[in-house]
Amino acid sequence: MSNIIFVLNGPNLNMLGKREPGIYGGETLETIGEDCRSAGAKLCLEIDFRQSNHEGVLVDWIQEAGSRAKGIVINPGAYSHTSIAIHDAIRAVSPLPVAEVHLSNIHAREEFRHHSWVSSVATGMICGFGSQGYVMALHALAARLEAAQQKGQG
Ligand code: CA2
């Protein structure tokens, strides 16, 4: 079975590269997707890269990952700070490994961004390294998958 990783992106991330480059960098979401696919190819991961502005769509995709994927990388955008539905969806696919990623360091920004409902149910969280965080997350999931497959659990 192939090692499919869903890379999910939440609201407004389709605007990357068009506005606020000082906070989020100059890369577009399309080039982040290309970075993920080329890192995935080296790590023997098949990348399914998606973006939605809608909370319920992200919940549907997390549920779909529960049956089709070996892991999730998710940047839930502003839903990180508000969404119990995404928190519950991630719990529901446990023990599927989930890496939460933020381009910016959410702890160095406004107070309302300091709490994420996703972090407590994610396997781990990377923030503040820009688009490189997605590639770091893929490396972390690949290492975990490799360890599980060696133990016969993958
Ligand atoms: O740092 C991150 O990756 C965030 O998840 C980005 C979210 C923000 O709400 C989170 O607190 C942290 C924002 C998504 C991107 O929003 C844009 C808005 C205008 C122009 C470009 C991007």
Side-chain angles (χ1 to χ4, degrees), residues 6-52:
F6 277 23
V7 182
L8 304 181
N9 295 279
N12 294 310
L13 286 158
N14 55 315
M15 301 296 285
L16 286 176
K18 296 164 191 149
R19 286 166 196 268
E20 306 213 54
I23 299 176
Y24 299 119
E27 259 199 276
T28 63
L29 196 62
E30 287 69 28
T31 62
I32 294 176
E34 284 163 22
D35 293 346
C36 287
R37 275 185 281 274
S38 76
K42 289 178 198 140
L43 295 165
C44 300
L45 303 175
E46 189 183 320
I47 305 300
D48 191 331
F49 192 90
R50 307 178 185 187
Q51 187 273 334
S52 177

Side-chain angles (χ1 to χ4, degrees), residues 99-104 124-130 132-138 140:
E100 179 184 2
V101 170
H102 297 281
L103 296 158
S104 63
M125 196 271 258
I126 297 164
C127 75
F129 291 99
Q132 187 61 27
Y134 285 75
V135 173
M136 293 162 82
L138 289 172

Side-chain angles (χ1 to χ4, degrees), residues 69-114:
K70 294 280 177 63
I72 300 174
V73 174
I74 185 166
N75 182 346
Y79 287 141
S80 318
H81 318 301
T82 62
S83 179
I84 311 288
I86 290 175
H87 171 103
D88 285 345
I90 292 172
R91 283 175 82 132
V93 296
S94 173
L96 190 72
V98 176
E100 179 184 2
V101 170
H102 297 281
L103 296 158
S104 63
N105 179 351
I106 56 174
H107 300 289
R109 300 186 62 195
E110 305 96 322
E111 185 128 19
F112 65 82
R113 296 186 203 273
H114 294 185

